[in-house]
Amino acid sequence: MTHATALQILLLLAFALTLIGCAAPQDADPSEWTQFRGGPTHTGVQGFAHPIDQPTSVWTFDTGGIVESTPTVVGDTVYVGTFANNLFALDARTGEERWRFPVGGLLRASPSVWNGLVYFGADDDRFYAVDAETGEQRWSFALGPGGEQSSPAIVDGRVVFGAFDHNVYALDALTGEEYWRYETGGGMLSSPAVADGIVLIGSIDQKLHAIDLATGEARWTYETDAITFSSPAVIDNLVIIGSDDHAVHAVRLSDGAFVWKTTFGERVFSSPAIMDGIAYVGSYDGDLYALRVTDGMIVWSADLGGPVLGSPAVTNDTIYVGSSDGHLYALHRSDGSVHWRHEVGDRVWSSPTIRGDWIWFGSHTGSVEALRDGSSQ
């Protein structure tokens, strides 16, 4: 090989790497929490977090309305919705408001961030995309009556979500153009998970729907015994979801075949988190449960003093989850024992977002709060 040929090859490789870098989405950092439950499979796992042994409140921000939305954290910005009809962008370290985007209805669902845009729906029957830096609207999409409280998933340049007009939508994430809509028999508070080209979402019609991401055609449906507000999580070929029939269901991703069902004493609104073969999910009965994903056997349960509607976030050793008893809990993942609990003052239905040694979450106090390990400051 001549020196000239070698140089040409090196230049071509450098050019290819430049193209790859330019094509990478702005949220490519795996430590960031860009969508509900951390990503499209909704496992709720953050392996890049550090132990938090001494939780210290760094800041609180009063939004003026109940916060059930889970904060999305990208770069140094927290994005969160509120019942005060605004989407807020806050400085992740100081809580300082950067901008707010007003809408005509409450925001319960969690926003998603991709390629410099923030995506979310509201109870004003519209779905929005706004600039992540400035808060300026890029586009909006009109929905049928009933509003939108389903946190969007973004996969392959498509943003997918459910609405109370009984439709699941897939839109072009850059333009808002509709690719397809899929009609269920009821509205959806459940947020879609996406795996292997399949969109999975629960509905008030008492079914878990599996939809082809590319075409919008039904792959399969699975019937529960009650309405399903819980959002599914996917691990390998298994889909796990809670239901108002007091149970957690597991079905095969490929065909929707029944695998197992575990029944509790009350409804399951919480969405499961999954790590190392264990699914963690809360219940209205006030417990957080650890279930073996192979057969649904209860490994342990932890009493959190009030209904658990939020979804847990999981790190290597710790589970973080809110409770209706007005606390955010940190539990040991091995046995569910309480590591610490942080008093908030009202119900915590927002799911916590974790990164590094920070935790961000909202509550019915109307505030978003940031905690950090005291030993790190």
Side-chain angles (χ1 to χ4, degrees):
M1 181 183 296
T2 66
H3 290 297
T5 304
L7 180 60
Q8 290 174 336
I9 292 173
L10 288 173
L11 288 172
L12 286 171
L13 285 173
F15 180 65
L17 289 172
T18 300
L19 288 178
I20 292 171
C22 291
Q26 296 178 15
D27 58 6
D29 183 351
S31 71
E32 293 181 335
W33 200 275
T34 63
Q35 303 182 37
F36 179 62
R37 314 301 297 126
T41 57
H42 288 181
T43 56
V45 172
Q46 177 52 280
F48 292 83
H50 303 298
I52 298 175
D53 297 318
Q54 302 173 22
T56 301
S57 182
V58 180
W59 55 260
T60 59
F61 177 87
D62 186 1
T63 70
I66 288 171
V67 181
E68 294 184 0
S69 173
T70 295
T72 298
V73 183
V74 177
D76 59 355
T77 306
V78 175
Y79 304 94
V80 65
T82 172
F83 281 27
N85 300 5
N86 282 286
L87 180 82
F88 287 93
L90 310 175
D91 186 289
R93 292 185 172 273
T94 67
E96 179 182 359
E97 181 180 333
R98 291 184 167 167
W99 52 258
R100 67 177 68 186
F101 183 87
V103 294
L106 65 84
L107 290 102
R108 173 179 280 115
S110 308
S112 295
V113 179
W114 179 79
N115 209 30
L117 296 179
V118 186
Y119 302 87
F120 61 96
D123 266 8
D124 59 1
D125 302 336
R126 300 200 73 85
F127 188 85
Y128 297 90
V130 302
D131 188 283
E133 289 291 331
T134 66
E136 296 179 359
Q137 180 175 309
R138 290 289 186 88
W139 54 260
S140 71
F141 182 85
L143 308 170
E148 198 279 333
Q149 299 177 18
S150 169
S151 303
I154 304 174
V155 178
D156 297 338
R158 299 187 179 199
V159 55
V160 184
F161 57 90
F164 270 89
D165 64 4
H166 297 194
N167 288 305
V168 182
Y169 292 91
L171 310 180
D172 185 293
L174 293 179
T175 66
E177 179 184 357
E178 180 179 329
Y179 282 116
W180 52 256
R181 67 179 66 185
Y182 170 94
E183 186 174 0
T184 73
M188 282 152 283
L189 199 65
S190 177
S191 300
V194 183
D196 292 345
I198 303 174
V199 177
L200 303 136
I201 190 168
S203 172
I204 292 176
D205 67 3
Q206 303 186 21
K207 294 178 181 178
L208 170 64
H209 294 265
I211 310 160
D212 190 284
L213 175 63
T215 66
E217 298 295 324
R219 289 282 195 95
W220 50 260
T221 59
Y222 170 83
E223 293 193 17
T224 62
D225 296 322
I227 60 178
T228 300
F229 291 131
S230 173
S231 300
V234 183
I235 187 73
D236 299 326
N237 192 34
L238 200 65
V239 183
I240 301 176
I241 190 169
S243 174
D244 272 21
D245 63 4
H246 301 193
V248 173
H249 301 254
V251 301
R252 280 203 308 248
L253 171 64
S254 55
D255 57 9
F258 173 84
V259 178
W260 53 258
K261 172 182 175 181
T262 300
T263 302
F264 305 147
E266 255 290 0
R267 294 170 287 165
V268 182
F269 185 99
S270 172
S271 303
I274 306 173
M275 187 175 187
D276 294 339
I278 303 295
Y280 305 93
V281 63
S283 169
Y284 264 89
D285 63 15
D287 281 9
L288 183 81
Y289 292 88
L291 308 176
R292 200 163 59 190
V293 299
T294 53
D295 56 12
M297 187 190 80
I298 298 174
V299 179
W300 54 254
S301 63
D303 183 1
L304 301 189
V308 180
L309 276 72
S311 305
V314 183
T315 67
N316 292 329
D317 301 310
T318 311
I319 304 163
Y320 301 98
V321 65
S323 171
S324 296
D325 75 347
H327 293 86
L328 180 75
Y329 284 84
L331 307 176
H332 292 291
R333 196 161 67 88
S334 57
D335 58 8
S337 59
V338 176
H339 183 33
W340 52 258
R341 65 177 190 168
H342 173 75
E343 186 173 359
V344 178
D346 207 338
R347 291 168 288 187
V348 182
W349 290 2
S350 167
S351 304
T353 296
I354 51 180
R355 190 177 72 187
D357 61 348
W358 289 77
I359 306 174
W360 299 267
F361 65 97
S363 72
H364 280 217
T365 65
S367 293
V368 179
E369 186 169 0
L371 305 181
R372 194 181 184 194
D373 184 48
S375 62
S376 301
Q377 300 181 56

